[in-house]
């Protein structure tokens, strides 16, 4: 995925200033695609220079605060990108390599790392479940909302799986060795 397309999506959902967008990004798309606020501001400038978005000064705001909205060319680019074929992504998971290494050189302190990782996934799972309860109760009937809910449910299942995986690995590492 590319940051420009994530930003176009967020701006179509709700136009706004860069600071607002960065905050919303952290609480939505940012769960699935990481970007710093500096990267977001740089990309907004590129999108505007490319004629995909338009920024206008915010009346009464301090400094040079600008609100952005997606132009027709931006919608067309997002539609083009959405329809583009995606190849399956290769798995690059450092923990899998660490577990293989543990099998060869262990025991190590990987158990502590797994405990922290499991807690991270449980915390993220709780966050996603809270969002689901807040934003998708009752379940949506609108197609757009159903798709957003589907993305959230994918995150819920991912976090649930990763927490369970970490717990299973911790159980194996804690068991007496042969």
């Amino acid at each position: 995925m590319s940051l420009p397309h994530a930003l176009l999506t967020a701006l179509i959902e709700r136009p706004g200033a860069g600071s607002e967008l960065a905050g919303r990004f952290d609480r939505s798309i940012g769960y699935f695609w990481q970007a710093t606020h500096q990267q977001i501001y740089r990309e907004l400038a590129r999108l505007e220079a490319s004629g995909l978005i338009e920024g206008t000064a915010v009346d009464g705001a301090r400094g040079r605060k600008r609100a952005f909205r997606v132009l027709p060319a931006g919608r067309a680019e997002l539609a083009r990108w959405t329809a583009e074929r995606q190849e399956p992504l290769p798995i690059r998971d450092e923990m899998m390599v660490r577990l293989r290494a543990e099998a060869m050189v262990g025991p190590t302190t990987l158990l502590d790392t797994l405990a922290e990782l499991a807690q991270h996934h449980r915390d993220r799972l709780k966050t996603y479940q809270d969002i689901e309860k807040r934003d998708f109760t009752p379940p949506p009937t609108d197609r757009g909302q159903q798709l957003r809910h589907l993305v959230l449910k994918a995150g819920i299942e991912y976090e649930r799986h990763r927490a369970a995986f970490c717990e299973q690995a911790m159980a194996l590492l804690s068991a007496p060795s042969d």
Side-chain angles (χ1 to χ4, degrees):
M1 179 158 103
S2 70
L3 180 56
H5 298 102
L7 293 173
L8 286 170
T9 300
L11 285 170
I12 287 174
E13 288 175 345
R14 187 172 60 203
S19 58
E20 296 163 2
L21 178 62
R24 286 192 349 243
F25 195 89
D26 287 345
R27 295 183 308 272
S28 60
I29 292 173
Y31 287 120
F32 302 99
W33 187 261
Q34 301 295 309
T36 66
H37 289 205
Q38 289 175 331
Q39 290 171 314
I40 290 171
Y41 283 110
R42 274 195 307 269
E43 199 55 52
L44 287 171
R46 286 187 195 113
L47 289 168
E48 187 171 28
S50 299
L52 301 178
I53 65 172
E54 175 183 59
T56 56
V58 174
D59 291 335
R62 293 184 196 190
R64 301 180 314 173
K65 186 173 183 178
R66 301 173 67 213
F68 295 93
R69 68 179 185 90
V70 176
L71 296 173
R75 282 185 171 275
E77 169 54 23
L78 191 57
R80 182 207 61 76
W81 176 79
T82 302
E84 199 174 77
R85 185 183 175 110
Q86 178 182 329
E87 296 298 321
L89 299 174
I91 296 174
R92 288 185 58 156
D93 190 330
E94 193 173 308
M95 183 51 69
M96 298 306 120
V97 178
R98 288 177 188 271
L99 284 167
R100 294 284 300 256
E102 170 78 22
M104 297 296 105
V105 300
T108 67
T109 59
L110 191 56
L111 189 58
D112 296 336
T113 302
L114 281 162
E116 291 172 12
L117 195 56
Q119 187 59 51
H120 165 81
H121 289 296
R122 286 190 294 269
D123 292 345
R124 183 63 59 95
L125 174 61
K126 170 93 170 70
T127 297
Y128 288 173
Q129 289 170 329
D130 290 347
I131 292 169
E132 182 178 42
K133 188 175 183 178
R134 181 191 71 214
D135 295 349
F136 298 105
T137 303
T141 55
D142 167 79
R143 180 178 178 271
Q145 281 292 92
Q146 288 174 336
L147 288 171
R148 286 190 278 284
H149 189 202
L150 181 63
V151 170
L152 179 63
K153 289 192 297 189
I156 288 170
E157 289 307 312
Y158 174 81
E159 298 300 339
R160 183 176 286 133
H161 174 267
R162 292 303 289 195
F165 175 82
C166 289
E167 290 161 8
Q168 185 177 4
M170 289 179 347
L172 284 171
L173 291 174
S174 297
S177 48
D178 300 345

